[in-house]
Amino acid sequence: MTPAVAHAIVEARLLGEHAIPVKIRTTEPVTEDEIAELLAAVDFLIAHYQDQPSVPKTLAAAFVDIYSGFVPGEGTVTASCAQRLEEVAIALQDKAYRLFLP
């Protein structure tokens, strides 16, 4: 993976027209592959930027209000799916701290 590829994945999965939060709002299925790809790209970027004084604005924008983007509407998904999405949201919040804080 390269920084450019990782950025593209994060932007597509969190900011794009078919981003995971958009899919959750529109009740489209989100696959484990999409989630795994996103988490791997974020992990790559954490390592890439660990010694850098800043990160691109678009990357920061992807994490604004990340938790609420992963909360499905009441009754739109199964309880287990809602739990999984909450786990992903929490993981992304933790990764954001590692990405943005020294």
Side-chain angles (χ1 to χ4, degrees), residues 9 13 18-24 27-40 70 77 81 84-85 88 92:
I9 290 168
R13 297 291 182 224
H18 302 288
I20 293 171
V22 172
K23 287 183 169 190
I24 292 168
T27 66
E28 292 180 51
V30 176
T31 68
E32 283 297 323
D33 288 342
E34 292 172 299
I35 291 170
E37 180 184 52
L38 170 61
L39 296 175
F70 279 75
V77 297
C81 181
R84 175 64 178 136
L85 292 172
V88 172
L92 287 169

Side-chain angles (χ1 to χ4, degrees), residues 9-73:
I9 290 168
V10 171
E11 289 178 22
R13 297 291 182 224
L14 294 179
L15 296 173
E17 186 177 320
H18 302 288
I20 293 171
V22 172
K23 287 183 169 190
I24 292 168
R25 279 194 312 274
T26 59
T27 66
E28 292 180 51
V30 176
T31 68
E32 283 297 323
D33 288 342
E34 292 172 299
I35 291 170
E37 180 184 52
L38 170 61
L39 296 175
V42 174
D43 286 339
F44 177 89
L45 293 171
I46 289 168
H48 177 73
Y49 286 110
Q50 75 181 27
D51 296 325
Q52 303 295 319
S54 63
V55 297
K57 288 180 181 180
T58 54
L59 187 55
F63 287 90
V64 171
D65 204 21
I66 192 71
Y67 186 86
S68 68
F70 279 75
V71 176

